[in-house]
Amino acid sequence: MTFRIARIDWRALSNAKDPRMVATTAPYPRTFVPADLKVQTFADVEPLYRELIDRPIDSPAALERWLANFSELSSVVDQVGTRRYIDKSCHTDDAAIQALYMQFVEEIEPRIKPLYFQLQKKFVQSPHREQLTDPRYAMLERQWRPDVELFREENIPLQTELTKLANEYDTISAAMTVNFRGEELTLQQLGRFFEEPDRATREEAYRLMVARRLRDKDAIESVFDRMLPIRDEIAHNAGQQDFRAFMWKAMKRFDYTPDDCARFADAIAETVVPLVNELDRQRKADLKLDKLRPWDTQVDPKNRPPLRPYKQDETDLLVDRAKAVFERMSPELANDLESLRRNKNLDLASRKGKQPGGYQATLEERREPFIFMNAVGLQRDVETLLHEGGHAFHTIAAKDEPLQFLRSAPIEFCEVASMSMEALGAEHMDVFYPDATEAARAKRTYFEKVIALLPWIATIDQYQHWIYTHSGHTRQQRGDEWLRLRTRFGPSREHFDFSGFEDYQRHEWHRQLHLFQIPFYYVEYGIAQLGALQLWMKARENPRQALANYRAALTLGGKRPLPELFSAAGIRFDFSAKTLGPLMRAVGEELDRLPR
Ligand SMILES: [Zn+2]
């Protein structure tokens, strides 16, 4: 299961290497940062940060100007970091480009961080802040206040320690390769054999994967054991009861509580798990098996070859067709996608040297989106482009807000922007597949994935709630808790036989990198999916209105609290059974209508 990042959150540096950036005039002229400043080192920007820190502010108007200057500097620096990240993703085999990126991450960004914090504090504590009556400023204060309140000098080395441990996890995971039929493969590469129609091949690949993962189970448990006390300590240093309370504030979860997440999980157990069981029952029948084994979940139940929405080398055709899908929703969206192509902000085709995955990144100074992905001619690419397209529309819609800090929405809503495009786009798969059976199959694949993901989200989320409210637990206890949650949300024993994999099941959470790298970040995907599905239902009743609401909500960027962004999109910020129930009924009916 891979996830795509919505936005790259680096703050800082330059792009002399990129001819596009030098040749074109900036659409938003600089008024504070010198027009000819090329950010190459920390020293290039340090005086600008210092000037902002030291500048006396004697009126509300001066505070507003100061904030605009800060935003401009931050956008310039952010774009440099983003550009270097994009370059690195496109050329992982170019040492000079890698070095530029690492220089940003190691030498520029960490030195800007404390200065950035001082500026946030200066704004939040300014005596003139209260006199700025535009509600945008109250939103900004709400967003920055937790950063100021949680900041502790003594937590900086602890954070670094955690980053190193996360790297250790990465290194262990990246080194996991297997020899499959004479070929050295990464576990990702091995993954394609799980779709293989020949059952013995799938089993062989699966057993190999499990054996390889189990070899490092103790090493990964040990990384996690070392992380937990550091996370507790960070929370206590910041005056928080536990790491969950700390993260709740740090992630700016103002509009929902741990109890809401528990209720969401209950609603998933009640309304989604039965639907997943029914799909498993159908799969078992289609494959003519008494019980499914863990290697039977990804193969096409009718043994059909993979869908081919376009030929591998024709990424222009992928864009043309995605554009046609958006055109059916709204001509503005189609124009937005075309603007990415025109501005050369697409790098879609897979090729040697590109990093895996896909993302949308925002070039903050130009206020333009960039989409990166690895298209190889599969249905997955169509979904990725629709998804990242949604993030790009968000960036474009919100670009008129002068303050960078208010242009991007909370992540829960960013993913509504992207996931909605996947949901609404699923209705137009005939653009890619003239054959109606294939179009229906593409749509079906999408909805099945949506349903299957929700119980996994509940599992990962509830597991983390347990972990961080049971300080001092043993490995045995956390393994038991994981198995308890898997029994509640996971596949039913009525249809599945997992015998022989008991040890692997106990350690299955090791593969979810979020637990190691971005703790607590996961429920967002579920909250956003509910938003996307609500929008999909609205669009079936009144597509024009649904799309108008969608765009209006995107335009608000981060200027409104989460519940208001949802209501601007014409949907409810609610993740109880009251909202989830009807959505799952509608999805279930849709699946019943679609041929298998
Ligand atoms: Zn996304």
Side-chain angles (χ1 to χ4, degrees), residues 108-402:
I108 299 174
E109 197 188 24
R111 292 160 85 180
I112 287 177
K113 249 185 200 166
L115 307 183
Y116 191 96
F117 167 71
Q118 286 189 53
L119 293 171
Q120 288 180 297
K121 193 161 127 186
K122 183 165 174 156
F123 173 74
V124 169
Q125 297 178 348
S126 167
H128 304 288
R129 153 64 201 104
E130 287 287 288
Q131 290 150 268
L132 296 179
T133 52
D134 186 332
R136 288 158 63 246
Y137 295 113
M139 274 305 293
L140 186 56
E141 183 179 337
R142 180 167 105 138
Q143 201 178 308
W144 280 358
R145 192 167 280 286
D147 297 333
V148 173
E149 285 174 3
L150 292 175
F151 183 84
R152 296 291 185 283
E153 196 74 40
E154 65 265 36
N155 278 344
I156 296 177
L158 294 175
Q159 300 278 13
T160 309
E161 202 51 43
L162 283 176
T163 308
K164 282 189 194 155
L165 286 167
N167 277 341
E168 206 175 306
Y169 169 81
D170 275 349
T171 310
I172 296 168
S173 307
M176 286 189 190
T177 58
V178 291
N179 192 296
F180 185 67
R181 298 180 176 175
E183 235 190 314
E184 188 74 3
L185 300 177
T186 64
L187 296 188
Q188 286 69 37
Q189 290 168 326
L190 184 69
R192 70 171 187 267
F193 292 99
F194 302 152
E195 296 169 23
E196 182 61 42
D198 177 52
R199 198 174 187 217
T201 302
R202 295 201 302 271
E203 176 173 353
E204 188 185 341
Y206 186 84
R207 287 186 183 277
L208 208 55
M209 181 275 290
V210 166
R212 183 60 193 88
R213 282 199 180 277
L214 282 178
R215 245 173 64 195
D216 283 324
K217 69 174 183 190
D218 291 332
I220 290 180
E221 291 281 338
S222 151
V223 169
F224 205 59
D225 277 339
R226 281 175 283 153
M227 284 179 149
L228 296 181
I230 300 177
R231 286 176 175 165
D232 283 347
E233 195 183 342
I234 285 175
H236 293 139
N237 285 345
Q240 302 299 308
Q241 180 192 336
D242 53 34
F243 186 66
R244 178 172 73 175
F246 176 86
M247 285 309 285
W248 223 263
K249 266 186 117 164
M251 300 176 91
K252 330 268 167 96
R253 292 180 171 179
F254 306 117
D255 304 298
Y256 55 101
T257 65
D259 277 350
D260 290 326
C261 293
R263 272 195 292 275
F264 186 25
D266 290 343
I268 289 173
E270 192 186 314
T271 62
V272 187
V273 171
L275 207 50
V276 175
N277 289 341
E278 172 56 19
L279 292 175
D280 287 341
R281 192 195 59 75
Q282 290 173 7
R283 166 171 286 269
K284 193 172 71 171
D286 287 343
L287 288 169
K288 302 185 175 60
L289 296 169
D290 291 334
K291 288 273 172 137
L292 295 166
R293 294 289 274 153
W295 45 85
D296 295 323
T297 59
Q298 292 179 45
V299 64
D300 181 80
K302 301 271 173 69
N303 277 344
R304 290 164 294 195
L307 290 166
R308 297 283 176 199
Y310 64 99
K311 281 210 195 78
Q312 178 158 359
D313 297 327
E314 297 177 334
T315 36
D316 255 329
L317 198 60
L318 169 64
V319 180
D320 289 341
R321 289 182 180 163
K323 193 179 153 188
V325 168
F326 290 130
E327 182 81 46
R328 290 214 199 143
M329 298 183 204
S330 130
E332 287 89 355
L333 297 182
N335 286 339
D336 284 352
L337 185 69
E338 191 57 47
S339 81
L340 270 89
R341 178 150 58 181
R342 195 171 54 241
N343 294 330
K344 302 200 181 346
N345 284 336
L346 296 172
D347 192 324
L348 306 186
S350 183
R351 54 171 191 273
K352 196 168 166 287
K354 261 176 99 164
Q355 111 190 357
Y359 60 78
Q360 190 267 161
T362 303
L363 298 162
E364 286 290 351
E365 189 180 8
R366 301 186 62 82
R367 306 187 197 176
E368 283 174 9
F370 185 99
I371 296 178
F372 170 96
M373 58 183 272
N374 278 279
V376 290
L378 297 175
Q379 170 60 17
R380 194 180 56 219
D381 306 336
V382 174
E383 288 162 12
T384 303
L385 186 53
L386 294 175
H387 181 101
E388 305 307 341
H391 286 308
F393 302 153
H394 209 172
T395 299
I396 294 171
K399 75 177 164 43
D400 290 340
E401 164 57 47

Side-chain angles (χ1 to χ4, degrees), residues 4-6 387-388 391 414-415 418-419 525:
R4 301 165 286 241
I5 58 172
H387 181 101
E388 305 307 341
H391 286 308
C414 288
E415 294 297 329
S418 55
M419 289 174 161
Y525 296 118

Side-chain angles (χ1 to χ4, degrees), residues 413 549 553 556 561-573:
F413 193 72
N549 291 344
L556 295 172
L562 205 40
E564 288 183 35
L565 293 174
F566 270 68
S567 60
I571 56 183
R572 276 202 313 238
F573 182 73

Side-chain angles (χ1 to χ4, degrees), residues 386-457:
L386 294 175
H387 181 101
E388 305 307 341
H391 286 308
F393 302 153
H394 209 172
T395 299
I396 294 171
K399 75 177 164 43
D400 290 340
E401 164 57 47
L403 294 178
Q404 181 204 347
F405 323 116
L406 292 171
R407 284 199 288 268
S408 57
I411 188 74
E412 293 90 343
F413 193 72
C414 288
E415 294 297 329
V416 173
S418 55
M419 289 174 161
S420 300
M421 291 297 100
E422 287 184 77
L424 271 61
E427 301 289 344
H428 304 293
M429 285 301 112
D430 56 298
V431 169
F432 285 93
Y433 306 100
D435 177 329
T437 332
E438 293 200 334
R441 188 179 151 201
K443 185 173 173 182
R444 188 176 177 87
T445 314
Y446 164 75
F447 281 109
E448 284 183 354
K449 266 197 282 192
V450 166
I451 294 169
L453 183 57
L454 286 166
W456 182 255
I457 291 172

